[in-house]
């Protein structure tokens, strides 16, 4: 399979783990590439080497990166892919905090611990504290923005704010899991909008996945006069706003 792929290719992009045994595998792969160049495909070239699973604080990881860069100074990309464990932990933490915002919004909206707040008040507080945190971070880091598109950034913020407000309103009316499940339809709306606005192509598998997601949302919406829930419709509107925000 490897020989066939190299014979049919013009360029080779090689990911290399920042581990000791990956160096031996890299040596074998280079020998294979040279053999294919000599006997089968003289047009085959090494496009680049991407270092992966890099641990910046690991001495072994740094040594492997330095060794690969020493043998291939012009082919190693400047950007390395760090160990995905940290990224997975950060995504898990982000999901936890997003879920907690919905719980807190329901608590504040229904007045469990005092006077109830309007969803717009809750979302305004959320975005206000987020803006304050970002401003403090920018003052410390002193980052510079190069030619930002203010209209697009403003529009994205507005749709994000409306979407969060709808989401907080939905969780006060229906169960939190139902509201979050419906609002997570935003990739489906983003796919439709990407087709209409950005003229991007959508394959059959993505259409199938979108159909399954929409079917699940209609089950949660419980269509019909007796089962009509305003909160589910509001969560649906939140998903639409989040989809527009992505575009």
């Amino acid at each position: 399979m490897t020989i066939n792929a190299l014979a049919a290719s013009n360029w080779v992009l090689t990911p290399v783990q920042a581990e000791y045994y990956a160096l031996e595998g890299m040596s074998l792969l280079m020998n294979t590439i040279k053999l294919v160049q000599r006997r089968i495909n003289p047009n085959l070239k090494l496009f680049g080497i991407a270092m992966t699973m890099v641990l910046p604080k690991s001495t072994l990881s740094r040594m492997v990166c330095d060794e690969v860069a020493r043998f291939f100074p012009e082919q190693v990309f400047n950007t390395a892919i760090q160990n995905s464990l940290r990224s997975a932990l950060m995504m898990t933490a982000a999901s936890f905090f997003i879920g907690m915002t919905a719980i807190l919004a329901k608590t504040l909206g229904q007045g469990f611990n005092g006077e109830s707040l309007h969803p717009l008040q809750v979302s305004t507080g959320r975005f206000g504290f987020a803006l304050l945190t970002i401003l403090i971070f920018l003052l410390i880091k002193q980052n510079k923005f190069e030619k930002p598109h203010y209209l697009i950034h403003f529009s994205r913020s507005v749709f994000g704010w409306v979407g969060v407000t709808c989401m907080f309103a939905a969780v006060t009316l229906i169960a939190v899991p139902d509201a979050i499940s419906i609002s997570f339809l935003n990739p489906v709306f983003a796919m439709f909008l990407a087709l209409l606005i950005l003229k991007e192509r959508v394959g059959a598998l993505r259409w199938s996945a979108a159909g399954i997601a929409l079917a699940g949302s209609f089950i949660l919406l419980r269509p019909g006069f007796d089962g009509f829930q305003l909160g589910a419709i509001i969560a649906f509107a939140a998903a639409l706003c989040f989809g527009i925000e992505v575009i």
Side-chain angles (χ1 to χ4, degrees), residues 18 54-68:
V54 177
L55 292 171
K57 295 183 180 180
S58 171
T59 303
L60 176 61
S61 183
R62 292 197 302 269
M63 288 176 60
V64 171
C65 292
D66 293 340
E67 194 71 9
V68 175

Side-chain angles (χ1 to χ4, degrees), residues 9 38 72 94 140 171 176 186:
S9 303
R38 243 183 359 253
F72 306 96
I140 295 174
V171 297
V176 173
N186 65 85

Side-chain angles (χ1 to χ4, degrees), residues 8-246:
S9 303
N10 292 327
W11 298 94
V12 180
L13 173 60
T14 306
V16 179
Q17 293 186 18
E19 298 177 358
Y20 175 77
Y21 291 108
L23 288 176
E24 296 184 3
M26 183 69 183
S27 175
L28 294 174
L29 179 60
M30 289 299 106
N31 291 335
T32 303
I33 291 175
K34 291 177 182 178
L35 182 64
V36 171
Q37 287 174 328
R38 243 183 359 253
R39 298 186 179 180
I40 305 175
N41 184 4
N43 295 322
L44 183 64
K45 297 178 182 178
L46 181 62
F47 179 76
I49 299 172
M51 300 303 301
T52 64
M53 302 290 288
V54 177
L55 292 171
K57 295 183 180 180
S58 171
T59 303
L60 176 61
S61 183
R62 292 197 302 269
M63 288 176 60
V64 171
C65 292
D66 293 340
E67 194 71 9
V68 175
R70 186 167 67 88
F71 282 100
F72 306 96
E74 307 229 348
Q75 283 81 20
V76 177
F77 295 130
N78 294 328
T79 302
I81 302 173
Q82 298 187 7
N83 195 319
S84 59
L85 177 60
R86 181 182 299 177
S87 301
L89 292 175
M90 292 179 68
M91 287 299 298
T92 303
S95 300
F96 170 78
F97 285 119
I98 290 173
M100 285 303 300
T101 58
I103 298 294
L104 293 174
K106 189 178 186 74
T107 302
L108 295 171
Q110 294 188 343
F112 289 151
N113 295 318
E115 185 179 354
S116 61
L117 297 178
H118 192 276
L120 189 59
Q121 291 177 290
V122 181
S123 64
T124 301
R126 177 185 184 272
F127 276 83
F129 282 113
L131 178 61
L132 180 61
T133 303
I134 292 173
L135 289 177
I136 294 174
F137 179 81
L138 291 177
L139 287 174
I140 295 174
K141 292 290 187 179
Q142 296 183 347
N143 291 31
K144 295 181 180 180
F145 297 97
E146 297 182 0
K147 298 180 181 180
H149 200 301
Y150 293 105
L151 180 59
I152 291 180
H153 285 299
F154 177 77
S155 302
R156 182 178 181 275
S157 299
V158 169
F159 280 107
W161 191 354
V162 174
V164 170
T165 303
C166 291
M167 169 80 156
F168 288 169
V171 297
T172 61
L173 298 174
I174 61 176
V176 173
D178 288 353
I180 293 179
S181 298
I182 296 173
S183 67
F184 277 178
L185 282 173
N186 65 85
V188 176
F189 287 108
M191 187 185 71
F192 280 105
L193 293 172
L195 177 66
L196 297 175
I197 300 174
L198 303 179
K199 308 301 180 182
E200 294 183 352
R201 297 181 61 184
V202 180
L205 290 177
R206 289 185 175 86
W207 282 118
S208 302
I212 294 172
L214 285 174
S217 70
F218 281 120
I219 293 174
L220 291 174
L221 284 170
R222 302 177 188 83
F225 183 78
D226 295 334
F228 177 81
Q229 294 192 56
L230 178 61
I233 302 297
I234 296 176
F236 206 75
L240 176 59
C241 290
F242 291 148
I244 297 174
E245 181 188 17
V246 170

